[in-house]
Amino acid sequence: MTSDSSNKTIYAAMGANLAIAISKFIAASFTGSSAMMSEGIHSVVDTVDQLVLLLGIRRSQKPADASHPFGYGQELYFWTFIVALLVFAIGGGMSIYQGIIHLINPSPLEDPKWNYIVLAIAILLEGFSWIVALREFLPTKGKQNFWQAIKNSKDPTVLTILCEDTAAILGLIVAFIGIFLGHLFNNVYLDGIASIIIGIILAIVAVILARESKGLLLGESAHPQTIANIRSLSKTEPGVKEVIRVLTMQLAPQEVLLNLEIQFSPNLTGEQIALTVESLEVKISQKHPEIKQIFIEAKSFTAARKSSQPSK
């Protein structure tokens, strides 16, 4: 259901986030930084998210059965939605809570040296994970801008890692600025403000992920370009008079269901219509191997049968 590159992206992100989380909590315990504690929580949530994505991939690969004749591919979209909830509730919520607590009861400023060391290491590791995810995402982008590519993405694993890593890098920059300005101006409140900003960044990313997962869970169509290609390909068949509707549903990142409603030429016999349908299915499968299920509805079967019967 998902490519090996998706798994590679997840494992790269999980390894980086686990190492980062440990280093952040160590730095937070030495310095008492609220922003660093929020960053540690963020990295733990990201690590758990990657485990949830791996669970979703595994469950989505279950073979089709009587209760799920089209397979379990959409399980991946469900678990991606769970990841979005985790990012929002635990990552964003806990970071904002941590920041508010720090504003109410600010901790005295400590030596920021450990914070700077850990932030530098974290930026390098997160940058590595981000580059891996970006390299997997760019081939799917094509000529679209980034926002269009995110909206049209059908593989939530790479998209989730890319969004999480982007939020992580932004969070690290905010944490650095908060800690640096706090010591520069001897202001104990700036660290808490940075923690709240980190929480808001995570909440925004969570909303984006939830929105995309929801669309796929509710039966999102295939990519618009794929639909346009199917329509054009169908019109190349000599026996096709008109393509009435092209209905698609994304069942998994690499699995699409197609229902094609076609009006055939009225002079075709039943056998000719069957041969046209078979030829069209072959062409569509060759052009778009991700389309695993093809159902073609012929609107002129009745007319074709009447025209093939001898007149009385």
Side-chain angles (χ1 to χ4, degrees):
M1 296 298 177
T2 57
S3 62
D4 291 338
S5 60
S6 297
N7 289 333
K8 180 180 73 176
T9 304
I10 294 174
Y11 283 119
M14 186 164 57
N17 283 317
L18 184 59
I20 292 168
I22 294 171
S23 62
K24 285 176 180 176
F25 282 127
I26 292 174
S29 66
F30 279 119
T31 63
S33 169
S34 172
M36 188 57 67
M37 180 62 71
S38 295
E39 277 296 306
I41 294 170
H42 176 194
S43 294
V44 169
V45 172
D46 282 353
T47 305
V48 173
D49 289 346
Q50 273 97 61
L51 290 171
V52 173
L53 286 176
L54 288 174
L55 173 64
I57 290 174
R58 181 178 178 181
R59 293 185 64 86
S60 69
Q61 293 173 341
K62 291 169 60 178
D65 54 32
S67 60
H68 292 81
F70 296 112
Y72 290 81
Q74 289 185 317
E75 278 247 22
L76 180 58
Y77 302 147
F78 168 77
W79 289 106
T80 305
F81 188 77
I82 296 298
V83 165
L85 294 180
L86 290 173
V87 172
F88 185 86
I90 301 179
M94 287 296 294
S95 294
I96 293 173
Y97 172 78
Q98 184 72 22
I100 293 173
I101 293 298
H102 191 82
L103 290 177
I104 296 173
N105 299 302
S107 302
L109 295 174
E110 304 285 348
D111 183 4
K113 178 179 66 177
W114 280 101
N115 285 336
Y116 294 144
I117 293 173
V118 169
L119 286 173
I121 294 172
I123 288 174
L124 289 175
L125 291 174
E126 289 287 5
F128 166 74
S129 176
W130 184 82
I131 289 172
V132 172
L134 184 64
R135 284 178 176 173
E136 302 302 329
F137 182 74
L138 284 178
T140 66
K141 176 179 172 292
K143 296 181 179 179
Q144 308 171 94
N145 60 42
F146 269 93
W147 181 244
Q148 289 174 328
I150 288 173
K151 289 178 66 178
N152 292 326
S153 175
K154 307 303 179 184
D155 187 348
T157 53
V158 174
L159 175 62
T160 299
I161 300 300
L162 183 62
C163 288
E164 284 186 346
D165 286 347
T166 301
I169 293 173
L170 291 175
L172 290 167
I173 293 171
V174 170
F176 176 86
I177 293 172
I179 294 168
F180 176 76
L181 293 179
H183 283 82
L184 181 64
F185 297 108
N186 196 31
N187 189 325
V188 294
Y189 296 104
L190 291 178
D191 189 49
I193 293 173
S195 182
I196 293 173
I197 294 174
I198 291 169
I200 292 172
I201 291 172
L202 292 174
I204 292 172
V205 169
V207 170
I208 292 173
L209 292 176
R211 181 180 178 277
E212 295 308 307
S213 299
K214 175 189 139 185
L216 292 165
L217 273 173
L218 294 179
E220 189 169 288
S221 64
H223 193 281
Q225 186 60 51
T226 300
I227 296 174
N229 288 344
I230 292 170
R231 186 176 291 275
S232 299
L233 197 61
S234 301
K235 290 179 179 179
T236 62
E237 280 293 325
V240 174
K241 182 179 180 182
E242 182 183 356
V243 179
I244 300 173
R245 287 195 300 177
V246 180
L247 304 177
T248 60
M249 181 184 293
Q250 197 77 34
L251 299 177
Q254 299 298 326
E255 185 173 349
V256 176
L257 180 148
L258 168 64
N259 186 295
L260 195 56
E261 191 174 326
I262 290 176
Q263 182 179 9
F264 291 96
S265 299
N267 60 334
L268 293 183
T269 65
E271 183 180 357
Q272 288 173 324
I273 290 176
L275 291 173
T276 303
V277 168
E278 183 179 351
S279 173
L280 189 53
E281 288 178 346
V282 171
K283 287 182 179 180
I284 292 173
S285 298
Q286 289 176 344
K287 180 72 174 179
H288 296 282
E290 73 276 13
I291 300 178
K292 309 296 184 183
Q293 307 283 345
I294 302 176
F295 300 93
I296 297 179
E297 183 178 353
K299 280 298 183 183
S300 62
F301 264 124
T302 303
R305 286 172 181 168
K306 285 182 179 180
S307 64
S308 61
Q309 290 175 355
S311 57
K312 295 183 180 179

